[in-house]
Amino acid sequence: MVQAVTGELRRPASLTDEFLEGLVARVPGTSGATWKLTEVYSGEVLVELPQSTPEDIEKSFAKARAAQREWSQWPLKKRLKVFRKAHGLFVDNAETTADLIQAESGKNRRMAIEETCDPPMVMSHYLKRAPKLLGPTTRGGPVPVVSTSTEIRQPKGVVGIIAPWNFPFATGLSDAIPALIAGNAVVVKPDNKTALSPLYGISLLERAGLPKGLFQVVCGEGPDVGPTLIDNANYVMFTGSTATGRTIGERAGRNLIGCCLELGGKNPMIVLEDANLDEAVQGALFGCFGNTGQICMHIERIYLPDTLYDVFRDKFVAATEALRMGATYDYGPELGSLVSVDHRDRVASHVEDAVAKGARVITGGRARPDVGPAFFEPTILEGVTKEMLAGSCETFGPVVALNRYRTVDDAVALANDTDYGLNASVWGTDLAAAEAVARRVQSGNVNVNDILATAYASKGTPSGGVKQSGVGARHGDQGLLKYTDVQNVGVLKKQVMGPQPGQTYEAYVKQMLMSLKLMRRLRIR
Ligand code: NAD
């Protein structure tokens, strides 16, 4: 049984009523309706979060649009200066940010502090890359010398961002950073449960010089807020479940606006015969149970060759049972809570369904109310099939199924036997062979000898899902360019296209076709 770290639950001194009320004061809520935002470890109310009406949301967009008109006129250098300063502020205030993330999400402090690093990493990348991407690019026009075409990047206007609760600070802010750098305003809708850390991040951005009004926050239940938010936005960035992503994509499509959808996964890990087993076991511990299994890129299916199955299972079970779980605000616990009692019950229902249909629990499988209201043990299952919820749907908790394979072809086929395609992990010491397997997995991200960080933290490379795991990507050049419209400005210095005075149309056609061939041969066009 997994160990519990005991100790008195002491809320961090930073989380005073005044501080929390100051944060939520930014959220419009003219109806007076509020949502009780609670500390996950204790179930106690931290603050009453205003709920925004459709009229509040429209007003927020109007304010954002007014601020954006000015912001988009700032030279890029001046906009970037804000993020250079913000980078330092985010790092210097990481511990306070971690206090908020932990209180609202229940994750352990190790994960909370890692989460605080994501927005600065995104800032750092685009501080370097944005000048190249956003500057005008002059290209050759159709007729050499006398014509040019210039690619100009215009901001879309106001970007609507809808964020989930599992990485509230990262998903609430990291996707906003390139949108703002590109000259847009942002209206973000965080999950009600986890609105505090993004609100704090926005206050830091404003301390760094971001104009007031440019970054708005609206709150409420998704179906109440979503339609008005999408109908007022020029682009939508959504992170959340595949089911909600479909609703968002449909509405964006009807409005003829672009959207990026970062959705769920059922991510496989393939251990090859030559893998370093101890490293693979350590990787699996983080992959399956990091953030208490509430990472979109975490592992829910492990595929092992027959020859390694038993030894991997024994080491993995022993390492899992040695994990320390706890409701504390220090760096002790390796595992934190699930986000809510509702979510704990959903995770438990996947385990119960699997057991009822013939799967075996090798370790874990139980709620741990002795540690905190929403704690659930890290759970390893055997004998899971696709007929079980845990075999086909995203569980999004600390539950993993071990599976055997005979050949590498079988392993790849099993890994691909899912509607999802967000992340995968392949372990082997022959790197070329492991990478060859990685390329055969239908997944937007694949990590060799790692679970997720190597791909996800490479901010220069786009990261997104394929199949039912998403549309579009964050990071990389497209993570910034998606927030822009391209404008093609063509300039003709002299009117030369068409027959010249006195030239017959037949002669003009002959000359035009000849010049096409010539330009091809000389590689001019
Ligand atoms: P969710 O889809 O229930 O909610 C996500 C957000 O959408 C929340 O803010 C919610 O209030 C809002 N929402 C819900 N219904 C809505 C509607 N009809 N219109 C507009 N907004 C609506 O997802 P969740 O349970 O909060 O988050 C967990 C899911 O997110 C998992 O599936 C996980 O894999 C996924 N996720 C994906 C990534 C990624 O990058 N691919 C990252 C983190 C989480």
Side-chain angles (χ1 to χ4, degrees):
M1 188 168 91
V2 71
Q3 302 167 42
V5 178
T6 47
E8 197 193 336
L9 173 59
R10 214 172 298 130
R11 197 177 293 166
S14 68
L15 305 185
T16 61
D17 289 349
E18 194 188 0
F19 175 52
L20 300 178
E21 275 156 20
L23 291 178
V24 303
R26 174 187 294 277
V27 181
T30 51
S31 73
T34 60
W35 196 85
K36 293 186 189 317
L37 200 155
T38 53
E39 181 190 40
V40 176
Y41 291 156
S42 65
E44 285 169 15
V45 177
L46 285 169
V47 69
E48 299 273 345
L49 181 70
Q51 300 290 278
S52 311
T53 64
E55 294 70 34
D56 293 331
I57 299 165
E58 278 168 6
K59 277 191 193 142
S60 294
F61 269 89
K63 282 186 204 156
R65 215 168 279 290
Q68 190 266 340
R69 275 192 283 277
E70 229 179 277
W71 171 250
S72 65
Q73 297 309 306
W74 283 27
L76 179 61
K77 261 194 174 164
K78 191 173 164 191
R79 294 205 297 262
L80 291 180
K81 212 172 146 197
V82 173
F83 293 92
R84 212 162 282 127
K85 179 135 189 243
H87 185 281
L89 283 174
F90 272 53
V91 174
D92 292 346
N93 292 283
E95 294 285 350
T96 303
T97 308
D99 292 343
L100 289 164
I101 295 174
Q102 269 201 284
E104 64 190 359
S105 73
K107 66 179 68 181
N108 65 332
R109 193 158 191 89
R110 298 183 190 189
M111 277 312 299
I113 203 80
E114 284 196 24
E115 180 176 351
T116 68
C117 299
D118 194 68
M121 287 174 75
V122 170
M123 284 182 214
S124 196
H125 172 68
Y126 288 117
L127 279 168
K128 279 189 300 187
R129 190 72 185 138
K132 172 88 177 61
L133 292 176
L134 294 176
T137 308
T138 302
R139 307 187 189 279
V143 185
V145 185
V146 295
S147 66
T148 58
S149 161
T150 306
E151 184 181 324
I152 294 175
R153 292 285 165 174
Q154 302 283 10
K156 293 237 174 224
V158 185
V159 173
I161 295 183
I162 302 176
W165 45 260
N166 66 327
F167 283 91
F169 187 71
T171 52
L173 298 168
S174 294
D175 290 318
I177 290 159
L180 293 165
I181 286 177
N184 298 285
V186 169
V187 178
V188 69
K189 189 211 93 60
D191 192 288
N192 270 341
K193 293 186 276 303
T194 52
L196 295 174
S197 61
L199 282 163
Y200 181 57
I202 294 166
S203 75
L204 293 179
L205 284 170
E206 289 183 354
R207 228 195 282 169
L210 196 77
K212 293 240 165 18
L214 191 69
F215 199 158
Q216 299 281 328
V217 186
V218 294
C219 287
E221 294 297 339
D224 299 336
V225 171
T228 315
L229 184 136
I230 298 167
D231 291 353
N232 282 276
N234 301 105
Y235 186 88
V236 177
M237 173 73 215
F238 172 77
T239 307
S241 64
T242 296
T244 310
R246 197 165 277 119
T247 307
I248 307 280
E250 276 170 11
R251 193 151 191 128
R254 199 167 346 126
N255 291 354
L256 294 179
I257 58 166
C259 64
C260 179
L261 308 172
E262 299 294 341
L263 311 177
K266 187 78 190 167
N267 309 306
M269 169 172 173
I270 299 175
V271 181
L272 299 172
E273 295 262 10
D274 66 341
N276 178 324
L277 221 53
D278 290 328
E279 286 186 9
V281 166
Q282 281 306 310
L285 273 188
F286 171 75
C288 306
F289 309 131
N291 213 41
T292 325
Q294 304 163 111
I295 311 181
C296 55
M297 292 170 83
H298 85 297
I299 300 299
E300 296 197 355
R301 304 178 287 147
I302 300 183
Y303 295 100
L304 298 151
D306 277 331
T307 48
L308 297 183
Y309 188 93
D310 290 344
V311 53
F312 181 96
R313 179 189 54 195
D314 293 349
K315 281 175 184 255
F316 186 39
V317 169
T320 300
E321 289 177 350
L323 287 172
R324 282 162 314 144
M325 185 185 236
T328 68
Y329 286 92
D330 57 40
Y331 291 103
E334 289 153 306
L335 269 178
S337 174
L338 289 170
V339 72
S340 64
V341 171
D342 284 353
H343 189 52
R344 184 205 66 189
D345 291 345
R346 186 179 168 279
V347 170
S349 74
H350 278 216
V351 176
E352 284 156 19
D353 171 78
V355 170
K357 291 176 180 160
R360 288 173 305 287
V361 175
I362 323 178
T363 187
R366 291 181 314 142
R368 288 294 293 270
D370 55 315
V371 191
F375 277 77
F376 195 85
E377 289 181 338
T379 303
I380 305 175
L381 302 175
E382 271 183 329
V384 171
T385 65
K386 279 198 77 182
E387 286 62 47
M388 304 170 186
L389 291 172
S392 50
C393 308
E394 183 185 42
T395 302
F396 215 52
V399 179
V400 64
L402 301 185
N403 304 276
R404 293 172 188 271
Y405 72 81
R406 285 217 180 85
T407 65
V408 171
D409 285 349
D410 287 344
V412 172
L414 288 164
N416 287 337
D417 187 17
T418 171
D419 293 337
Y420 292 108
L422 183 59
N423 183 40
S425 173
V426 178
W427 293 73
T429 45
D430 178 344
L431 292 183
E435 201 178 326
V437 172
R439 286 171 193 235
R440 293 170 62 195
V441 182
Q442 297 157 348
S443 179
N445 303 276
V446 192
N447 291 268
V448 172
N449 293 330
D450 195 17
I451 296 297
L452 57 92
T454 303
Y456 195 77
S458 301
K459 301 299 183 196
T461 315
S463 172
V466 298
K467 294 159 82 176
Q468 300 290 296
S469 287
V471 174
R474 49 166 67 99
H475 305 163
D477 292 356
Q478 76 190 77
L480 177 72
L481 294 178
K482 71 185 179 192
Y483 295 124
T484 64
D485 283 324
V486 66
Q487 189 179 36
N488 180 340
V489 178
V491 174
L492 189 60
K493 293 177 192 154
K494 184 172 165 38
Q495 191 47 263
V496 290
M497 290 191 269
Q500 295 305 298
Q503 190 180 27
T504 65
Y505 209 88
E506 286 73 11
Y508 160 70
V509 168
K510 207 170 159 190
Q511 176 199 320
M512 179 179 67
L513 295 176
M514 262 177 57
S515 67
L516 276 183
K517 280 193 175 170
L518 188 67
M519 286 198 292
R520 170 77 206 116
R521 201 170 310 135
L522 298 176
R523 294 173 174 243
I524 297 172
R525 290 289 178 271

